Every structure is written in C-alpha cells, then in structure tokens.
Amino acid sequence: MAAVEAQVAPKRGEWTGQVGFILSAIGSAVGLGNIWRFPGVAYESGGGAFLIPYLIALLTAGIPILFLDYAIGHRFKGSPPLALRRVAGFLGESIGWFQVMICVFIAIYYTAVLAWSSSFFVYSFDLRWGADAPGFFTGDYLQVPTDGSLFSMAFVPSVLVPLALMWIITLAVLRAGVAKGVQRVNIVAIPLLVVGFLILVVRALFLPGASEGLNALFTPDLSALGDPSVWVAAYSQIFFSLSVGFGIMMTYSSYRKRRTNLTSPGLIIAFGNSSFEILAGIGVFSTLGFFAHQQGVAVSELEGLTGVTLAFMTFPAIISEMPGGQFFGLLFFGSLTLAGLTSLISILEVIFAGFIDKFGLTRAQAVYRLGIPLALVSVVLFGTATGLFALDTIDNWANNLGIVGAAIAMTITVMWVRRSGPELFTHLSELSTFKVKWGWWVLVSVLSPVVLTYMLLSAIEALIAEPYGGYSTGYLLIFGWGVIAAMVVGAGILTTTKWRTDPMKFEAWPSYSPSYTALSQAHKGHGGAGVSSAANTSEGVQK
C-alpha cells in the first residue's frame, strides 16, 4: 500500500472562488514596479502621449499573453514544467524549468527590496533618515563600501534582520497552502493596499505644487510617438508589470476549478493592474511636484525619478519636508511592503509548484527543502554591504534577458512548433463569457514574438555596447551573464531528471462542442503535441 501511495502526486491546491483568484492575481501583478517604475517611464517617454502606446501594448500583447498563460495552466493543470510538458513534450518542459529558474533568481533579490521597504516603514515613525536621505540609505543603512569594492561578506544587521523576517513570513504563508495561505493573505492585503494608497494619493493631490507635478507627467509630447524606444518602453512596462511569460499566471490558473471563467477575470486583472499604475503615477508626481515647489525648481530638474533611487532616496527626502510626513511615510512604505509581499509570494509559488509536480513533494517538504536554502543564499548575497550591486545586476539580466527570452521561446514553441493555438483558443472561448477571436492567435503567435525579439536584441546590444552600471567586466560575467547561464544549466538538469509520476496522465477534458472536436482533430493532424489524445482518454489520474 505504501509503495502505491508513493507514486501518487499530492492533490493540487485550488482557489475557493473567483474573488480569491482575482485578488491573488492582482496581488502578483501589482508590485514594486507599478509604484516606482511606471511613473518615471511614462514621464520620460512622452508624458500623457505615453498612454497611447501603453494602451495599445496592453491590448495587443499584455492581455493576449496573459490569456495564453491562463489557457495553458488551466487546460493542462500544472506548473510551467508540467503544463508545458503536456503541451510540447521535452522542449516545453525545458522552457518551463527555465521559467522556474528565473523565479529562483528574482526571489532571492526581491526579498531584499521587501526588507528595505519594511525597514523604512519602521523608520517613518521618527523620520530616522534625517536631512540627508540619500546618504542615510547608502551609508548608514546599506553601508555601501566607498573603496570601489563590488563584493563583500560584511553583513549589515539593519538589512539582515528584516531580510530574514520577510523570508520567515513569506514561507509561512506558502506553507499554509493555496487557499489557506496565498489566498487569505491577498484577500486582506490587496484591499488594504488599495485603500492605503488611495489615501496617500488624495493627500498628495492637496500638497502645494501638486498640479505642477501632474502637468509634468500628463502633458503630452506627441513627437515621442515617432520614437521606437517609446513603444519598446510601453511594451516592456506592460509585459513586466502583468507578471506574464515567466510562470506566475500559468501556475495561478492551474489552481482554478475546471468549469470556470478565464477571460473575464483576466480583463479585470489586466485593467486593474493598469489602473493602479496610473494611480501610482498621480500620487508619485503630485508628490514630486511638491518637492520641486519646495526646492524652487521645475520637476524636470529633479533627479532620481524612478526605481530604488525614487523609493529610498527621493521619497524619504520629500517626506521629511511634508506636513505630517510620518503618516505619509507609513502609507508609502507600507504600500511598497504589501505590494512586494504579494508579488514575492507568487514568485516563490512558481518554484514550489514546479518541484511539487515533478518530484511528488508535499507542500511542507517543498517549503523546507527549497525555501530555506533560497533564504540562506538571499541572506548571504543581499544581507551584506555590496548587496545593492548584485541586486541591480541580477535584476537587469533576469528581466530584460531571462523573462523576455522565456516568453519568446514559449510563444514560438506552443503556437508554431506544436501548433496548439486552436486547442487553447477553443478552451478559452468554451469556458468564458468573453470569447476570444482569431485575432488573439495572430497577436500571440506573430506580433508578440516580433516585439519581444526586438526588445531582447535591443537589450543584448546595449549590454554589449558598454559595461552595465559601470561595473567591471568580470563582475558582469558572474552576476549578469553567469546568472543566465545558471538558469539554462539548471533548467537542463531538472528537465532530464525523472518524473515521480507520469506527467502525461491527467484528468480528461470533455469535448465541449462540435467546433471543439473539429479543432482538436485539426490540431492533432497538423503537428500537435499528441497531448489531446492522452487527455481525452479515460485514464486520467490526478489533477
């Protein structure tokens, strides 16, 4: 009996309903980049005119690839390695494991930023950064070396303690499971995040100079629409902020019940994410307008309008000059912490789900065997004085090369090599109130790979042209190109490892309608993966 049970994969978790899934998916999509990246990108890319390519990118790439992730994860009931194995065999699984490896590297540095946010939340009570916020962040807090060294094992207690705490909290949530852990946290965190950030935005709108900040953000520069880099920036923002292409939405959709609406919630999630980004732009630039007003300069003369510099240098400096700055600081860094936590949970869930599916681990085993080693690596790399340099480098390579490359490989393999478009197209339409049209197939299989390939080649060209961040070539070979190499090698090793159970046996999907049957037969007759025949037998076992 024990021998038989050893071959049975753990039962997949499920969301309890539509609301839990939507809030969890929004929790993944709404992250640090919504607050500190979108406003700066929009400002530098034509202001109000940027909303035109941004909306086009959302409709032509963001939502279509989001639906692709949903269709694969839900129809083939698995994490990226399992679902893509069922779609495209060995090649598909290798892409799935590459997505998991991307999440591994993102998780170990993303937790560090979460630790910084939680620290500054506490510091907001007494405005501990004082009059020199930039000096406090890099000096007193991070203790970045001034001698030019790029790697140090000197641990920084002010970073180390919250970093360890964030890992403990996140792993505890994931240990509780999909419904009792991930869903419960998001049901509380997302409404709290929205309400808190709305209060912050309303407060910012009534600051002196707020209108100047909004004018700087939304005044359209229509000439920017003729610049290809502006369109690339729009597609990049949509692509990264929606959490598509690297396994999160595929994993989350695999936890949905079999008869469930896929596309309508997807639209809610996509437009909810974009709405929060625009809200963040209003809040951030209202505040920057106040700061410029206080300094007696134009908004265009301010520095540090995006990323880590905006969040941990510019904003603390602004908070120190605001009436009621402590309250504003608590709202801002509390929002960053909540947004970061819900995103980190989703990133780690991809990793755990992949190993649970392939090796038959229980959730507890996955958390302890994977989570603790990842936490230790994270502490060693980012709990030190040089953690900022490693974070900056790994983040750039993982996002601009890793995620974009994975998305290109997935769309081409699924839509062209295995020709699974008809099957996925019909799956989306048969289950959903909002029916996708054949234009979806064109956008996913043609436009998206073209745009993503252009983004990838542009990023590679820029990285080759000059050393990123002024770092040494050796450092970039290790923490930049070396990270991509590690992802590829890790994916290769995990793909060649034997499955605990047969990945091609799973619960059968019915043939919903004559149109579905015809499409499935056409799919199998034109180079399909052969999964449909396996799925539609009576040999389905575990979900």
Side-chain angles (χ1 to χ4, degrees):
M1 184 68 174
V4 173
E5 291 178 349
Q7 299 301 314
V8 178
K11 187 179 184 298
R12 293 192 67 76
E14 281 189 347
W15 310 111
T16 58
Q18 193 88 288
V19 173
F21 166 71
I22 291 174
L23 289 178
S24 298
I26 290 177
S28 173
V30 174
L32 301 172
N34 295 64
I35 299 173
W36 75 27
R37 188 175 188 272
F38 172 79
V41 170
Y43 173 70
E44 295 170 356
S45 304
F50 179 74
L51 295 179
I52 296 174
Y54 177 83
L55 180 60
I56 292 174
L58 174 65
L59 297 175
T60 60
I63 292 176
I65 296 181
L66 181 67
F67 285 176
L68 176 66
D69 275 347
Y70 284 173
I72 294 173
H74 186 255
R75 175 158 182 76
F76 296 101
K77 281 293 179 183
S79 59
L82 178 57
L84 289 172
R85 174 75 183 224
R86 289 169 171 171
V87 177
F90 187 87
L91 177 60
E93 183 185 346
S94 65
I95 296 171
W97 280 116
F98 185 72
Q99 293 180 338
V100 170
M101 292 303 299
I102 292 171
C103 290
V104 166
F105 282 93
I106 292 178
I108 62 175
Y109 76 72
Y110 203 88
T111 316
V113 185
L114 186 57
W116 300 350
S117 301
S118 62
S119 294
F120 273 69
F121 175 80
V122 174
Y123 296 161
S124 296
F125 283 98
D126 58 4
L127 304 181
R128 197 170 307 177
W129 47 80
D132 182 16
F136 175 84
F137 177 63
T138 58
D140 298 63
Y141 181 63
L142 293 183
Q143 299 178 22
V144 176
T146 57
D147 59 1
S149 59
L150 294 175
F151 184 77
S152 169
M153 289 301 294
F155 288 100
V156 182
S158 58
V159 177
L160 186 63
V161 173
L163 180 57
L165 181 61
M166 288 301 105
W167 272 105
I168 292 171
I169 292 173
T170 306
L171 293 179
V173 171
L174 290 164
R175 170 65 181 85
V178 174
K180 294 182 179 180
V182 178
Q183 179 175 294
R184 282 183 178 177
V185 167
N186 280 285
I187 284 177
V188 174
I190 296 308
L192 189 60
L193 169 62
V194 172
V195 171
F197 205 78
L198 276 173
I199 295 172
L200 183 150
V201 171
V202 171
R203 176 70 185 93
L205 286 172
F206 288 94
L207 291 170
S211 59
E212 284 79 1
L214 293 178
N215 286 334
L217 175 61
F218 289 114
T219 299
D221 176 11
L222 296 178
S223 64
L225 298 179
D227 184 353
S229 66
V230 170
W231 290 85
V232 170
Y235 278 90
S236 297
Q237 180 62 35
I238 286 294
F239 186 74
F240 295 133
S241 69
L242 269 181
S243 297
V244 295
F246 62 111
I248 293 176
M249 292 306 176
M250 194 183 299
T251 302
Y252 271 17
S253 67
S254 74
Y255 298 141
R256 303 214 64 192
K257 298 182 186 300
R258 285 173 61 80
R259 301 294 301 188
T260 190
N261 197 333
L262 294 175
T263 56
S264 296
L267 294 175
I268 294 172
I269 292 159
F271 285 107
N273 174 71
S274 293
S275 298
F276 190 91
E277 287 194 319
I278 294 173
L279 182 68
I282 293 171
V284 167
F285 269 82
S286 295
T287 310
L288 290 173
F290 163 77
F291 192 45
H293 177 80
Q294 293 295 100
Q295 302 294 316
V297 300
V299 173
S300 60
E301 297 178 53
L302 296 177
E303 297 180 354
L305 302 184
T306 188
V308 171
T309 305
L310 171 69
F312 299 105
M313 298 184 192
T314 305
F315 251 84
I318 297 171
I319 291 167
S320 294
E321 296 191 17
M322 290 177 60
Q326 291 94 332
F327 180 65
F328 195 92
L330 290 172
L331 287 176
F332 180 75
F333 290 110
S335 296
L336 276 184
T337 302
L338 285 175
L341 178 62
T342 53
S343 294
L344 176 63
I345 287 170
S346 68
I347 293 166
L348 284 168
E349 181 62 29
V350 176
I351 303 170
F352 295 157
F355 281 83
I356 288 172
D357 283 347
K358 179 145 193 176
F359 299 104
L361 303 179
T362 64
R363 180 161 287 268
Q365 289 172 333
V367 169
Y368 298 139
R369 295 180 186 180
L370 300 171
I372 292 176
L374 287 175
L376 292 175
V377 172
S378 178
V379 166
V380 169
L381 274 181
F382 303 104
T384 61
T386 54
L388 177 62
F389 305 139
L391 185 151
D392 181 34
T393 307
I394 296 174
D395 174 66
N396 186 69
W397 261 260
N399 281 279
N400 293 322
L401 271 62
I403 293 178
V404 176
I408 295 170
M410 180 182 72
T411 53
I412 291 176
T413 300
V414 172
M415 304 302 285
W416 288 103
V417 177
R418 295 298 184 178
R419 300 184 185 180
S420 298
E423 182 176 6
L424 299 174
F425 168 88
T426 308
H427 185 76
L428 286 170
S429 291
E430 291 287 353
L431 289 176
S432 305
T433 53
F434 176 81
K435 310 298 183 183
V436 297
K437 306 299 182 182
W438 282 105
W440 171 81
W441 186 94
V442 175
L443 292 174
V444 173
S445 60
V446 180
L447 180 64
S448 294
V450 169
V451 172
L452 291 171
T453 300
Y454 182 82
M455 289 168 52
L456 179 64
L457 294 177
S458 299
I460 293 174
E461 181 183 10
L463 292 173
I464 293 176
E466 59 180 295
Y468 174 76
Y471 301 130
S472 67
T473 302
Y475 187 83
L476 296 178
L477 284 174
I478 296 173
F479 289 96
W481 301 107
V483 163
I484 299 298
M487 292 177 184
V488 173
V489 172
I493 294 172
L494 289 166
T495 303
T496 56
T497 305
K498 185 178 179 180
W499 283 85
R500 182 67 175 241
T501 58
D502 185 354
M504 303 309 292
K505 288 186 177 181
F506 58 106
E507 188 173 353
W509 278 97
S511 295
Y512 297 115
S513 65
S515 63
Y516 174 80
T517 303
L519 281 169
S520 294
Q521 294 300 323
H523 164 65
K524 286 185 282 184
H526 289 84
V531 174
S532 297
S533 57
N536 290 318
T537 65
S538 59
E539 297 178 3
V541 282
Q542 306 85 19
K543 282 203 244 182

